[in-house]
Amino acid sequence: MSKAMFKMTTAFADVMPAEYVELVQSGPFGQGYGVADLGSFKELIEEHPLCAGCGLALAVRLIMASLPTPEDTVVVGSTGCSSLAFPQIALQNIHSLFGNQNAVASGLKRALKLRFPDKHKDVLVVAGDGATADIGLDMVMHSWSRGEKLATIMLDNEAYANTGGQESGMSPEGCVLYMAPTGKKFKKIALPEIARESGCAYVASVTPVQPRKLEKAVRRAILVAREVGPTYVQIFVPCPTNFKFKPQETLAKAKQREKDQTYPLREFITPEAQAYLAALEGGGKHD
Amino acid sequence: MTNNNKTRRITLTQFNGGMILTKYHVLAGPEGYLPPAAACQGIRLPEVGWALIEGRHVPEQEALSAIVDKLLSAKRPFFFPGPNLLWEWKDGVAEKASALRKLADTAGARVIPMPDYRPKYPMINPAIEINPNHPNLTIWHNKIDVCVFAGVHCHYANVALKIIRGGTDCYTIAICGEAGHEDANITLRNAGIPQIEALTAMVAERRRLC
């Protein structure tokens, strides 16, 4: 996709749905908008079929507002709650088989590099905790070990949320769910540490409670993945449906987990990535 | 599928050394869940200068005339322009889009665009857009009996045409700029501005005579 494609033919402009007209007239393509500009431009996600109060939906909205160059970004997703939202997003999107997302993204990134050798084409993997830490962990870790220049984002709702509430590797120890009534017997997988040891140049765990921090992590992950190596961002997205709290309490739940250190926020940056980011951020530019 | 439909759809053509050869007819549906791809039933794409009417190879001129018949006899004809004609992504697109719009207007057809291929179900508004993954929703909602595909990328056009044949009674026409579509009831191939303008002239002439 390139910005040149966002021009309608006049012959059919009168029948184009309003959503597309708004995307052309006031969308984020080529504008350099960020989270702070939300409300002043047409967002990439207009509506979604996710539950009321879904933390994942909020995170997806913030991620989409954080992309440095949405017109040159392809998202690779996987099965899970997020896959219900992606068909509504005005962005190139590939839905992979459950757990295959990083393998699919690896091939895509290499193909884009061959096809557009002089241009940054960002390949962003966005998947849930089941796809990233359980079913797709081998594909995820191997893509990191191979040094694939991908940004991997996990939307961590700590359960298999749209299949009735089974425990995942990311569920905290003792967690009781509809289909895990006796409580989880094992600890939460320490994926940020695994990512760091597997070769990721940038790793962060964040929550939507602090949108600017989330934006910074997503942008850094995408920018470092362009030049330095694989990156990983883990976003805590509380699920009111499976964890049985009111929809309006989502952010409070995330804030509480930050506060009591049961969901610690972390950031690891390799010296090479640090130098690269310092050069970019010092210059005040993102692409 | 009723027995009558089955009989209409597949006819015996030869009895060759004990082997019965059948001929599949690409008729309007509803053919039922998971209709076969016409290509798998032996329907070949037309050669240059030729077209397909219900799986039968005919000269392009005959297909143009058949398209005019279908458009003018339809109760609710609709055009579905795809991304190749909705977005001005290369030189020449605007002219072709204008020619197609003129054809739709001359034929008194409405236009519903297919701006991209997002499978937006269940959020799609079938009154104003169509997506190739659930084209039946738009056809049912608008009670469309004849539709024209143009500017839809081949792989998505094939999927959509097959779904329409499977689940609706809509008659499908493909004005294809590439090699054509076996799954359409009528398909042109290499259709450019000359073919579209010829159709417009034929529609206008037929309307004048009526």
Side-chain angles (χ1 to χ4, degrees):
Chain A
M1 189 151 54
S2 82
K3 288 193 282 289
M5 289 181 70
F6 296 110
K7 187 180 173 193
M8 293 175 187
T9 51
T10 51
F12 293 112
D14 62 321
V15 293
M16 286 292 264
E19 178 191 354
Y20 293 89
V21 176
E22 287 172 21
L23 276 169
V24 170
Q25 290 173 349
S26 58
F29 304 112
Q31 300 298 322
Y33 291 137
V35 165
D37 302 304
L38 279 171
S40 68
F41 66 96
K42 167 71 179 170
E43 293 179 46
L44 293 174
I45 181 164
E46 183 173 44
E47 49 190 358
H48 61 77
L50 299 174
C51 306
C54 176
L56 187 150
L58 174 59
V60 167
R61 185 181 178 209
L62 294 174
I63 292 167
M64 291 303 125
S66 305
L67 302 176
T69 49
E71 63 278 13
D72 289 313
T73 301
V74 184
V75 174
V76 181
S78 194
T79 307
C81 292
S82 59
S83 64
L84 303 175
F86 278 114
Q88 317 297 328
I89 293 174
L91 207 61
Q92 303 282 6
N93 167 39
I94 294 175
H95 175 79
S96 72
L97 287 179
F98 207 167
N100 280 1
Q101 66 278 359
N102 279 58
V104 170
S106 300
L108 176 65
K109 180 72 181 186
R110 293 182 189 193
L112 288 172
K113 191 68 188 166
L114 288 172
R115 175 67 180 80
F116 303 99
D118 304 323
K119 196 166 190 180
H120 289 303
K121 291 283 183 183
D122 300 322
V123 176
L124 184 64
V125 179
V126 183
D129 47 311
T132 308
D134 293 349
I135 295 168
L137 183 61
D138 48 356
M139 265 70 80
V140 170
M141 282 186 63
H142 276 272
S143 76
W144 291 342
S145 300
R146 290 194 306 269
E148 304 285 354
K149 290 181 176 170
L150 308 171
T152 303
I153 296 179
M154 180 212 280
L155 300 167
D156 181 13
N157 58 13
E158 301 188 321
Y160 288 85
N162 73 343
T163 50
Q166 294 81 11
E167 68 179 47
S168 82
M170 298 301 285
S171 302
E173 190 173 6
C175 165
V176 174
L177 290 155
Y178 288 113
M179 295 201 187
T182 59
K184 192 185 174 198
K185 304 286 190 292
F186 315 101
K187 285 183 181 172
K188 184 181 176 81
I189 295 173
L191 206 58
E193 285 77 7
I194 292 174
R196 183 188 60 191
E197 298 305 318
S198 300
C200 283
Y202 177 83
V203 178
S205 63
V206 293
T207 78
V209 172
Q210 300 177 66
R212 298 298 296 272
K213 202 166 183 174
L214 186 150
E215 177 190 35
K216 191 175 178 183
V218 170
R219 280 191 184 243
R220 283 183 159 189
I222 292 171
L223 295 171
V224 170
R226 285 181 181 175
E227 295 288 351
V228 185
T231 58
Y232 174 63
V233 176
Q234 184 173 304
I235 305 177
F236 179 45
V237 290
C239 170
T241 305
N242 282 281
F243 287 86
K244 303 172 189 169
F245 57 83
K246 292 177 183 167
Q248 66 268 30
E249 294 172 358
T250 301
L251 286 179
K253 290 284 175 191
K255 204 168 189 174
Q256 184 60 40
R257 293 284 298 277
E258 273 184 33
K259 197 175 170 186
D260 61 22
Q261 285 292 300
T262 53
Y263 206 97
L265 307 187
R266 283 163 290 186
E267 191 175 47
F268 307 124
I269 314 178
T270 62
E272 191 186 0
Q274 183 82 64
Y276 175 69
L277 286 172
L280 279 184
E281 292 171 354
K285 60 176 220 168
H286 285 300
D287 52 353
Chain B
M1 191 187 344
T2 64
N3 284 336
N4 282 344
N5 274 343
K6 216 179 257 180
T7 312
R8 269 191 321 131
R9 205 170 285 290
I10 300 173
T11 54
L12 306 182
T13 53
Q14 290 178 50
F15 189 80
N16 183 10
M19 182 184 288
I20 297 172
L21 302 178
T22 61
K23 174 70 178 170
Y24 183 77
H25 300 281
V26 187
L27 303 176
E31 193 168 346
Y33 185 57
L34 292 179
C40 296
Q41 299 296 313
I43 306 295
R44 288 179 297 107
L45 289 170
E47 300 293 333
V48 175
W50 288 68
L52 288 178
I53 299 179
E54 297 173 0
R56 192 164 46 88
H57 290 250
V58 298
E60 183 181 88
Q61 195 59 36
E62 188 179 333
L64 293 176
S65 185
I67 291 172
V68 173
D69 287 345
K70 284 291 174 187
L71 283 176
L72 293 182
S73 60
K75 285 182 183 167
R76 294 177 66 82
F78 275 64
F79 275 58
F80 298 144
N84 278 331
L85 291 176
L86 295 174
W87 302 101
E88 205 172 323
W89 59 284
K90 70 171 185 178
D91 292 340
V93 170
E95 292 77 9
K96 192 171 178 182
S98 296
L100 190 78
R101 183 61 191 263
K102 190 176 174 191
L103 170 59
D105 292 344
T106 307
R110 276 185 54 193
V111 178
I112 288 187
M114 188 187 287
D116 59 29
Y117 302 132
R118 282 186 276 166
K120 290 198 279 186
Y121 179 83
M123 316 299 278
I124 188 170
N125 180 351
I128 59 166
E129 63 182 315
I130 179 170
N131 82 50
N133 308 281
H134 313 93
N136 46 330
L137 300 180
T138 296
I139 285 169
W140 288 335
H141 180 89
N142 297 289
K143 299 181 172 61
I144 299 170
D145 58 347
V146 171
C147 71
V148 178
F149 275 66
V152 181
H153 289 87
C154 301
H155 46 303
Y156 277 107
N158 281 343
V159 168
L161 289 164
K162 204 155 80 74
I163 294 172
I164 293 171
R165 215 172 76 239
T168 81
D169 61 356
C170 182
Y171 198 88
T172 55
I173 297 166
I175 299 181
C176 178
E178 304 292 336
H181 295 280
E182 312 96 330
D183 283 299
N185 300 130
I186 301 179
T187 182
L188 301 178
R189 65 164 294 163
N190 299 113
I193 293 176
Q195 284 84 354
I196 296 171
E197 287 180 341
L199 278 170
T200 309
M202 290 165 75
V203 168
E205 177 64 12
R206 194 81 67 87
R207 277 188 175 276
R208 193 183 63 80
L209 292 174
C210 296

